[in-house]
Amino acid sequence: MNSYPESQEVLSGLGEKVTHSLARSVKFAADDLVAYRTWRPTWVAEASERGLANWIHDRLWAHLTSLLDGHPGVTLSDGEPTREVVVGLSYRLRVKRHREDGQVSSYATQTALEFFAQGVQDTFPGLEEVRLVAGYEWEADSREIGEAVLSLRDGQDNVVWLVTLPDVGEAGGTVQPVRPTAPEPSLPSVDVPAPGRHEATEDGST
């Protein structure tokens, strides 16, 4: 039985720059989809699920490349149709759309099956590579990009864990603070006499 690293261990191993860049890439791709839908709503409505997924993948990869290109310890590989991010000697990631149950779609090629299967490497025993799937949750009903996620699986359909990546202000930055709102000035209070009650004036009249 395989032993899997915990999600927090993996996030720490990837580092803030990588995890934040993954989250920002999803956010930027979501913004691109909104712009595309505003510009050509009919095109988006008529797009097939596969065609729209490919369009989103291209936008997400473009943003990820912009954020991580040249970062020490990170290698970006674009051997279309396979695109991968390698972090150090321990982590290899692919970017994919996740359904609500955490499942992803992929052609069952030999390379895909090898990627999804965690285990001992024959080439470098003792240096087991953790293979991860980054990406986003797809809201199928509204055809919108949801939260950025990272998952580890052993086999394509066996999801070991799936976590939401934190939303950040800038790649490599920190989680956006929640700024307190300035207190609004209080309204003046007015005393209204109760019905049937008469206040006396200074000369004693009512």
Side-chain angles (χ1 to χ4, degrees):
M1 181 176 179
N2 289 335
S3 176
Y4 308 107
E6 297 291 336
S7 59
Q8 288 303 317
E9 176 187 347
V10 170
L11 292 174
S12 177
L14 292 174
E16 286 190 352
K17 175 66 176 180
V18 173
T19 56
H20 290 174
S21 295
L22 290 169
R24 295 311 293 168
S25 297
V26 170
K27 173 63 170 59
F28 293 153
D31 292 342
D32 290 344
L33 181 57
V34 171
Y36 184 26
R37 181 173 277 122
T38 302
W39 177 55
R40 285 291 189 268
T42 304
W43 290 6
V44 178
E46 294 175 345
S48 66
E49 283 300 307
R50 178 181 177 185
L52 191 58
N54 288 339
W55 185 92
I56 294 171
H57 182 88
D58 283 344
R59 298 308 307 143
L60 201 160
W61 182 258
H63 292 302
L64 192 60
T65 300
S66 175
L67 292 170
L68 286 179
D69 189 28
H71 184 66
V74 175
T75 302
L76 298 166
S77 174
D78 190 354
E80 194 173 341
T82 301
R83 289 164 165 166
E84 293 184 332
V85 180
V86 178
V87 182
L89 298 175
S90 301
Y91 302 102
R92 183 178 299 270
L93 301 88
R94 293 186 183 179
V95 178
K96 288 188 175 293
R97 166 185 293 186
H98 291 66
R99 298 197 297 268
E100 289 183 356
D101 58 1
Q103 296 300 321
V104 298
S105 298
S106 181
Y107 291 110
T109 63
Q110 185 61 34
T111 55
L113 295 175
E114 291 174 355
F115 173 82
F116 287 120
Q118 308 288 341
V120 177
Q121 295 185 41
D122 294 332
T123 306
F124 301 103
L127 291 176
E128 286 71 35
E129 184 180 67
V130 178
R131 289 172 285 278
L132 305 160
V133 181
Y136 59 94
E137 289 185 339
W138 180 242
E139 299 176 5
D141 292 339
S142 59
R143 303 186 88 189
E144 294 179 340
I145 296 173
E147 294 183 309
V149 294
L150 180 71
S151 64
L152 181 143
R153 55 197 71 224
D154 197 351
Q156 180 175 333
D157 300 328
N158 179 25
V159 180
V160 179
W161 50 253
L162 181 149
V163 295
T164 301
L165 294 174
D167 187 20
V168 292
E170 296 180 0
T174 57
V175 177
Q176 284 185 324
V178 178
R179 300 186 182 277
T181 57
E184 297 182 357
S186 58
L187 296 175
S189 59
V190 178
D191 292 330
V192 179
R197 179 185 174 189
H198 301 284
E199 297 291 335
T201 62
E202 291 184 357
D203 60 2
S205 62
T206 58

